[in-house]
Amino acid sequence: IAGSDNAHRLFSVLGFVIAGVAAAALILIPYLFDSIGPRSLFWLLAASPAAVLLLAWSLPNKAAPVDNVPLLAGFDVPGSTPMLFSFGLMWIGLSALWVFAELIGTNTGLSLAQVGTCLAIGQVAGIAGPMIAGRYAKTLGLRRSIAIVNILMAVAGVMMIFGRSAWMYTVAVSLLSVGS
């Protein structure tokens, strides 16, 4: 991504594709689970990489060349270590909420199909995240961007766990998706 002409645009396109595929999978999984059983999840996970292999011919053969960059040069930038540490903690929190999203949803009284639908809506809402980042990334800067995402993550986590309704859960996963 760093070697592309417009890294923000490429990141936004990747975010859009990931959100679309995740939304389709989240809608599809409960129906596959009901009709085929637990094995359907395995087959979906196995078929996804196979589909990527079919599309691999369209990928570039090599990344854009970058000259004179020493290994781990990013750590030489002042403030990079605490920033990377903060970014890592943010992703740990986001990942924890995503890993337990289904369990949180079912514990609030939602069915698996409802959880899948809410998560799919959240993934589609997440398309706004890369667009917001592309528009405001330079204005806000990395520090404020990470702070905003951490606040979104905290609000989303509280809403997911204590919301006790499908619409609150949907708003929470949407905020989480936009942030991630």
Side-chain angles (χ1 to χ4, degrees), residues 2-156:
S4 67
D5 291 336
N6 189 334
H8 287 293
R9 183 176 299 138
L10 180 58
F11 186 75
S12 294
V13 169
L14 287 173
F16 178 78
V17 170
I18 290 167
V21 170
L26 288 167
I27 290 172
L28 185 63
I29 286 172
Y31 298 106
L32 288 175
F33 197 89
D34 287 343
S35 61
I36 301 171
R39 282 185 241 173
S40 62
L41 183 57
F42 167 78
W43 287 113
L44 182 65
L45 292 173
S48 298
V52 171
L53 288 176
L54 294 174
L55 299 172
W57 62 270
S58 65
L59 299 174
N61 286 330
K62 60 181 181 177
V66 180
D67 296 328
N68 301 324
V69 177
L71 186 62
L72 301 176
F75 289 105
D76 294 336
V77 175
S80 64
T81 303
M83 191 60 68
L84 288 172
F85 183 71
S86 299
F87 195 67
L89 288 175
M90 180 188 74
W91 275 104
I92 289 169
L94 284 168
S95 297
L97 286 171
W98 281 127
V99 166
F100 293 105
E102 180 261 329
L103 182 62
I104 293 168
T106 55
N107 279 334
T108 60
L110 302 175
S111 69
L112 279 178
Q114 287 174 312
V115 168
T117 302
C118 294
L119 290 174
I121 292 168
Q123 286 296 315
V124 172
I127 292 169
M131 292 189 296
I132 293 168
R135 172 68 177 89
Y136 297 105
K138 290 182 180 177
T139 305
L140 290 173
L142 192 54
R143 182 179 294 137
R144 279 191 270 175
S145 296
I146 289 175
I148 290 168
V149 170
N150 278 297
I151 291 167
L152 278 177
M153 181 177 55
V155 169

